[in-house]
Amino acid sequence: MALRVEHDIFVVRQRGREVAAAVGLDHQDQVRLATALSEVARDLLRAVGGADVTFAVELDAQGPPRMRVDLAPVRPLPGGRYEPQSGAVARLVDMLGVVHREGDTVVRMSRRVPANAQALTPERLAELRAELGSSAPGSALDELTLQNEQLIAALDEVRSQRDELAELNEELQETNRGVMALYNQLTEELEETNRGVVALYAELDEKSAQLRSASESKSRFLANVSHELRAPVTAIIGLSRLLADSASDPLTEEQSQQVGLIRASATDLLTLVNELLDLAKAESGRLEPNWAEVDLRAVFGQLRGTMRALGTKPEVELVVDDPPPPGTVRSDEVLLAQVLRNLLHNGLKFTERGEVRLRAEFRDDRWLLSVSDTGIGIAPELHERIFEEFYQVPGSTRVGGTGLGLPYARRVARLLGGNLELTSEPGRGSTFTVDLPVGGA
Ligand code: ADP
């Protein structure tokens, strides 16, 4: 097409739109391309007095086909360059610029044909060329009317997009308000919870102070009562011994039996009182270990002697193994012996046949001193309960005892920097282990 006079601008525009429609650009792209084309056409008419316009389709093996428009100026462009009057024109197409073609300089623009357009085979192109060639161009007025319609449609679309945007904005603000409200509510709830937690902690502190003071009162009470009881009980034992003494007036058999009962009961009572005193002392923190290097071999030797002297049942053997090297531990000899004696005592008490064995094992800088027996054993659910004060496994009370030995032993073991643990299986026996650090607490 030749672009020479003003009127040609309309024709070029119209033709451009027709070609764009024919090769398959969508409606908006048709308008865009036609608009860009009429802008460039006007620029060139003014600057150089016209151009020859060629419509073409580039078929590229790799990418999608492109519609291309070349405008070859009738006179050289000033400076060999072209800048559209309106900067927005370049954005209407994929490419707009100056290219060199067979020694000439042409202004070229191109736009991608969408993938869903009808395939542009050489036959199809020939067909389109024939169609476009036979159609007569409309008048400038027709093109102007059409252009106006397109402008109105574009404006309409812009307005509806703006409305949509405003609506979206409104929604966004609404959402924002919701998020802020939620955030405030959450912050408030968090603060509320925090206040609750702080109050709870204060209450807990108060409760534990109360508990501590209650436990101290209990220990004090036990210590006082036991102390007060000890003197009269000791007196009863002494007096009953005196009554039964051969140097005293002889008693009838009945009387001496009753005096014997009094003495036995008083002795039991004295044991209880002493144990209570020990426990109260350990609990109140007034029991201070006398730290020294303790020779375990000596302690074991002594226990072997004293426990054998107590006389065991003939079916039960008391075995005390010699401790392996290094053989010493930093501890309190009296307290440690007391704990082990207590455990051996229990072992002998609750074993009918087999053995009660004391042994020492040295592992990772710790002593594991264990007393194991082949006695009645303890049900798993009672493994912790027997360390509670006064707890005795039901049925085991007939062999006597107070239920204070194990809680005391555990307290002392902890005081010595270790612990006292139990493994046991009912009917197979029990093992109590005192676990002590070699260097003391
Ligand atoms: P006591 O022996 O004076 O009753 P302890 O505190 O020493 O009190 O023991 C608590 C209870 O634990 C005992 O009454 C007994 O039921 C159980 N018990 C302790 N040692 C053994 C053991 N070696 N075998 C079986 N039961 C045991």
Side-chain angles (χ1 to χ4, degrees), residues 206-247:
E206 199 182 315
K207 283 275 180 308
S208 57
Q210 280 173 1
L211 266 179
R212 227 179 359 257
S213 120
S215 157
E216 276 163 18
S217 306
K218 185 196 77 178
S219 298
R220 224 175 12 253
F221 171 78
L222 282 181
N224 289 341
V225 169
S226 329
H227 191 75
E228 293 302 319
L229 276 175
R230 198 143 64 154
V233 171
T234 318
I236 294 172
I237 294 171
L239 289 173
S240 54
R241 190 183 295 135
L242 216 63
L243 274 177
D245 196 277
S246 53

Side-chain angles (χ1 to χ4, degrees), residues 335-356:
L335 290 177
L336 182 57
Q338 201 181 3
V339 170
L340 294 176
R341 199 179 307 118
N342 207 316
L343 298 176
L344 285 169
H345 230 275
N346 277 350
L348 291 170
K349 218 160 56 169
F350 296 106
T351 306
E352 288 307 320
R353 61 182 57 78
E355 63 166 36
V356 176

